[in-house]
Amino acid sequence: MTRRPVAVHPLVSPWGRFGLYSFFVDAPEPAIVDTGIATSPAAGMAPALAALGRRIEDVRWILLTHGHIDHIGGAHALRELTGGRAKVVIHRADAPFLRSRRAHVDEYLAGRGRHLRDPDGAAAVAAAGRAVISGELEPDLLVDGGESIDLGGGTTVSVHPLPGHTAGSVAYRIDGQDDVFVGDAVQVHGAANGFPGYADPAAYRASLTRLRDELAPRRLYLGHPYRRADGTPYGVELDAAQAREAIGQSLDAEAAVAEAACRCAVRPDDGSPYAPFAAAAARLGYTGDPTLEPAPFFTSLSGYHPHHDDTGATP
């Protein structure tokens, strides 16, 4: 007997300048992909599911695409609303962000915090973690890629590693209907800050190619409404043609950033908000505010110069 396709419903959770999206997979063992922030489950998901005739208490799987606070912040609260019955899934490499709010501060200090010149930056990240992350928790299932999760009724979800945006970014694919959830692994030309964000450029490029050529989504679900080259946003539910276009534009954007980054030496702080990457910003024509968190400008460009120190020296 042919399995009937399961429905997928986007669930929006506003937060500042960002539109955060989770997705409800209406399987016999229902799943939610990504959780928004601490307030998202009760204030956003529960009433949205009720409008669909579903109950948040019945969710049995919480599938996290990566460890950033806007994707895991509501995980503890959501699991509590299910009476602790939902199983939380995350890639092994990003699990520290689920276990500890401090991991987000450490990531900030090791990365973009070196360039933002904000003496209160670490404290601000810590405060955001306290406000936005509903609780620290141990995942029920650590994945590395290649796993299959049974949602009942013949519906399975396969796990595919897509590192780059973070080390532990993954895609979840509903097998047989090729709906693919990627969180922030497809950046196109960036979201609110107008710059694509990824920690490992080579891994990001390879993941995009794998997503396009191997996973080949019929429908692609994005964590935010990322922008095309002309600045217009995609939606968060893309058909096959739109998915291929968005992946292609993501590869083009990364190539442009790579060219600018590799042609421009890292320089000491010259007072520019773009320091130490002012030359790369100029070459790219980037005029946005790179200091607005989550500051993908610094995260991405640092990936092309991983060994420079705070004086601007490169080996």
Side-chain angles (χ1 to χ4, degrees), residues 177-206:
Q177 62 190 66
D178 295 340
D179 289 358
V180 181
F181 307 88
V182 295
D184 296 349
V186 175
Q187 288 277 309
V188 200
H189 290 266
N193 283 342
F195 204 91
Y198 40 85
D200 184 332
Y204 177 66
R205 187 166 54 250

Side-chain angles (χ1 to χ4, degrees), residues 83-198:
R85 291 184 290 273
K87 295 182 175 66
V88 180
V89 182
I90 195 169
H91 190 280
R92 190 179 309 276
D94 277 16
F97 298 115
L98 189 64
R99 295 182 177 122
S100 169
R101 291 182 175 94
R102 177 67 200 184
H104 299 270
V105 178
D106 292 341
E107 180 198 38
Y108 169 85
L109 291 172
R112 60 196 185 277
R114 293 184 298 143
H115 310 303
L116 286 171
R117 294 180 295 138
D118 180 0
D120 300 319
V125 173
R130 290 191 296 271
V132 173
I133 298 173
S134 54
E136 300 172 335
L137 59 90
E138 180 66 28
D140 298 284
L141 177 61
L142 291 174
V143 294
D144 297 297
E147 296 84 0
S148 180
I149 298 170
D150 188 351
L151 304 189
T155 298
T156 60
V157 170
S158 53
V159 183
H160 304 267
L162 291 180
H165 179 66
T166 67
S169 291
V170 302
Y172 296 101
R173 180 175 66 185
I174 302 177
D175 299 318
Q177 62 190 66
D178 295 340
D179 289 358
V180 181
F181 307 88
V182 295
D184 296 349
V186 175
Q187 288 277 309
V188 200
H189 290 266
N193 283 342
F195 204 91
Y198 40 85

Side-chain angles (χ1 to χ4, degrees), residues 9-13 20-24 32-36 40 45 223:
H9 301 279
L11 307 173
V12 64
S13 300
L20 315 175
Y21 283 84
S22 304
F23 300 94
F24 176 66
I32 285 181
V33 181
D34 289 337
T35 63
S40 299
M45 292 178 192

Side-chain angles (χ1 to χ4, degrees), residues 7-300:
V8 174
H9 301 279
L11 307 173
V12 64
S13 300
W15 181 40
R17 297 173 298 121
F18 296 89
L20 315 175
Y21 283 84
S22 304
F23 300 94
F24 176 66
V25 181
D26 196 3
E29 293 188 17
I32 285 181
V33 181
D34 289 337
T35 63
I37 59 174
T39 56
S40 299
M45 292 178 192
L49 292 178
L52 296 170
R54 300 293 183 265
R55 304 189 324 149
I56 199 166
E57 294 89 343
D58 296 331
V59 170
R60 289 297 173 264
W61 293 94
I62 300 170
L63 308 178
L64 302 174
T65 63
H66 65 291
H68 285 161
I69 60 175
D70 52 327
H71 293 257
I72 66 148
H76 186 277
L78 176 55
R79 190 166 73 168
E80 289 295 296
L81 289 173
T82 71
R85 291 184 290 273
K87 295 182 175 66
V88 180
V89 182
I90 195 169
H91 190 280
R92 190 179 309 276
D94 277 16
F97 298 115
L98 189 64
R99 295 182 177 122
S100 169
R101 291 182 175 94
R102 177 67 200 184
H104 299 270
V105 178
D106 292 341
E107 180 198 38
Y108 169 85
L109 291 172
R112 60 196 185 277
R114 293 184 298 143
H115 310 303
L116 286 171
R117 294 180 295 138
D118 180 0
D120 300 319
V125 173
R130 290 191 296 271
V132 173
I133 298 173
S134 54
E136 300 172 335
L137 59 90
E138 180 66 28
D140 298 284
L141 177 61
L142 291 174
V143 294
D144 297 297
E147 296 84 0
S148 180
I149 298 170
D150 188 351
L151 304 189
T155 298
T156 60
V157 170
S158 53
V159 183
H160 304 267
L162 291 180
H165 179 66
T166 67
S169 291
V170 302
Y172 296 101
R173 180 175 66 185
I174 302 177
D175 299 318
Q177 62 190 66
D178 295 340
D179 289 358
V180 181
F181 307 88
V182 295
D184 296 349
V186 175
Q187 288 277 309
V188 200
H189 290 266
N193 283 342
F195 204 91
Y198 40 85
D200 184 332
Y204 177 66
R205 187 166 54 250
S207 291
L208 288 169
T209 303
R210 186 182 316 116
L211 176 64
R212 180 193 64 195
D213 297 344
E214 297 178 19
L215 274 67
R218 293 183 191 174
R219 280 175 296 273
L220 182 68
Y221 293 93
L222 306 177
H224 306 278
Y226 286 101
R227 300 177 184 182
R228 300 174 175 85
D230 64 6
T232 59
Y234 284 99
V236 295
E237 183 177 5
L238 280 57
D239 63 23
Q242 292 170 327
R244 194 167 184 87
E245 177 184 278
I247 295 166
Q249 286 210 5
S250 297
L251 285 163
D252 291 345
E254 189 280 325
V257 175
E259 181 181 19
C262 295
R263 286 193 178 189
C264 299
V266 177
R267 300 184 183 280
D269 188 342
D270 60 1
S272 165
Y274 305 102
F277 305 115
R283 183 176 288 276
L284 289 163
Y286 179 63
T287 58
D289 183 351
T291 66
L292 286 174
E293 286 291 354
F297 177 83
F298 293 113
T299 299
S300 298

